[in-house]
């Protein structure tokens, strides 16, 4: 099987331009690997495609056309639509040269391989299951990647594409649901904290827009401090918790209300 190693000649298609697919397209357009002319976006909705009409990417409502146009075919549709899309495009695909990436929570590799089978032996394309989050639009995603039927070079290639749009962890398929809860759903959980803290800021006397800005910058600062220092969160907390001070009192009140327990229970509930 031919290895795709020359990034400068690669073409990629994104089938599905909804919230996640559209975010992926934005990340690819902002990234350093693909030119706009290397990207094909397919969606049955012209309204979804309209968002990308001035970007230089190729746009189509024909999934088969998108599949034929690319070295990497990315499927980003609702889980219950994956089978229909794959069975529609597989007849025009060349499994000897194309890679397939599927972004759809809960769809297994065995299902995908079955849907991609052309009935000529067991030939299936190199496949990657991927779970990014919508921060991929700003190249800040946490993406989980599972290679199936793929070589090391092919895995390195797909990993490098997602690394260009954030950070990537190559993992086992059994951990994808956990990754979804922690980083995909987790994005919403972080935003819910932001909203709650901003509302608290209003109660403390700040105007809503100012409270929002304060909390966002505080969250950015916390993340960057941990990234650059390598400290465990508890180490950093110790730096700002004076004995008998207001910070430890606030933390203890949050824990008394079940803060850590609520976070863990929410993550576990998101996997059910």
């Amino acid at each position: 099987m031919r290895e795709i190693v020359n990034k400068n000649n690669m073409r990629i298609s994104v089938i599905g331009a909804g919230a996640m697919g559209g975010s992926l397209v934005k990340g690819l357009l902002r990234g350093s690997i693909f030119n706009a002319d290397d990207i094909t976006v397919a969606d049955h909705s012209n309204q979804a495609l309209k968002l990308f009409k001035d970007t230089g990417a190729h746009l189509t409502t024909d999934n088969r056309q998108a599949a034929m146009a690319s070295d990497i075919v990315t499927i980003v549709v609702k889980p219950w639509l994956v089978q229909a899309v794959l069975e529609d495009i597989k007849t025009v695909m060349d499994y000897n040269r194309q890679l397939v990436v599927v972004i759809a929570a809960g769809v297994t590799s065995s299902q995908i391989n079955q849907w991609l089978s052309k009935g000529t032996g067991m030939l299936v394309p190199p496949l990657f299951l991927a779970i990014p989050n919508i921060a991929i639009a700003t190249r800040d995603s946490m993406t989980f990647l599972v290679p199936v039927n793929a070589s090391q070079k092919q895995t390195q290639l797909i990993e490098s594409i997602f690394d260009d749009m954030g950070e990537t962890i190559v993992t086992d398929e059994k951990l994808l649901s956990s990754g979804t809860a922690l980083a995909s759903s987790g994005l919403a959980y972080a935003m819910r904290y932001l909203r709650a803290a901003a509302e608290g800021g209003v109660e403390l006397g700040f105007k809503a827009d100012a409270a929002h800005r304060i909390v966002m910058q505080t969250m950015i600062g916390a993340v960057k401090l941990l990234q650059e220092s390598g400290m465990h969160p508890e180490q950093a907390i110790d730096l700002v918790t004076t004995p008998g001070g207001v910070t430890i009192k606030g933390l203890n009140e949050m824990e008394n209300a079940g803060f850590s327990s609520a976070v863990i229970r929410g993550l576990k509930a998101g996997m059910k």
Side-chain angles (χ1 to χ4, degrees), residues 60-229:
T60 180
T61 56
D62 187 340
N63 291 343
R64 292 159 63 89
Q65 180 180 331
M68 288 188 291
S70 301
D71 302 294
I72 302 169
V73 182
T74 310
I75 314 300
V76 198
V77 298
K78 299 298 184 184
W80 56 87
L81 296 176
V82 173
Q83 179 178 2
V85 171
L86 291 178
E87 290 182 344
D88 178 46
I89 66 174
K90 69 180 181 182
T91 57
V92 299
M93 292 184 62
D94 180 355
Y95 292 174
N96 288 309
R97 71 170 186 85
Q98 292 179 297
L99 309 181
V100 175
V101 179
V102 175
I103 300 175
V107 180
T108 68
S109 60
S110 60
Q111 288 176 311
I112 294 169
N113 281 334
Q114 180 181 349
W115 298 333
L116 284 171
S117 174
K118 297 183 180 182
T120 54
M122 294 301 293
L123 178 64
V124 289
L127 167 67
F128 296 86
L129 306 181
I131 298 293
N133 61 40
I134 59 172
I136 202 166
T138 58
R139 301 174 72 195
D140 292 301
S141 177
M142 178 72 252
T143 299
F144 299 88
L145 188 67
V146 176
V148 183
N149 317 317
S151 70
Q152 183 177 359
K153 285 186 178 181
Q154 290 165 340
T155 300
Q156 290 172 342
L157 170 62
I158 299 300
E159 185 179 5
S160 71
I161 291 170
F162 282 100
D163 274 344
D164 191 53
M165 298 180 287
E167 187 171 339
T168 309
I169 291 179
V170 178
T171 188
D172 297 324
E173 187 169 352
K174 65 183 180 181
L175 287 176
L176 278 188
S177 60
S178 299
T180 300
L182 198 57
S184 187
S185 299
L187 200 65
Y189 303 152
M191 291 178 180
R192 180 57 60 89
Y193 167 79
L194 191 157
R195 189 190 76 175
E199 289 176 347
V202 173
E203 189 168 341
L204 293 174
F206 291 100
K207 291 185 177 179
D209 59 342
H212 188 79
R213 286 174 45 229
I214 291 166
V215 176
M216 281 200 300
Q217 184 57 43
T218 302
M219 291 176 70
I220 291 170
V223 170
K224 287 187 174 180
L225 178 64
L226 293 177
Q227 286 179 328
E228 294 185 11
S229 69

Side-chain angles (χ1 to χ4, degrees), residues 19-42:
M20 187 66 251
S23 296
L24 173 60
V25 174
K26 291 175 184 177
L28 291 169
L29 287 167
R30 291 185 176 190
S32 62
I33 294 178
F34 296 96
N35 296 316
D37 188 55
D38 300 324
I39 302 168
T40 299
V41 187

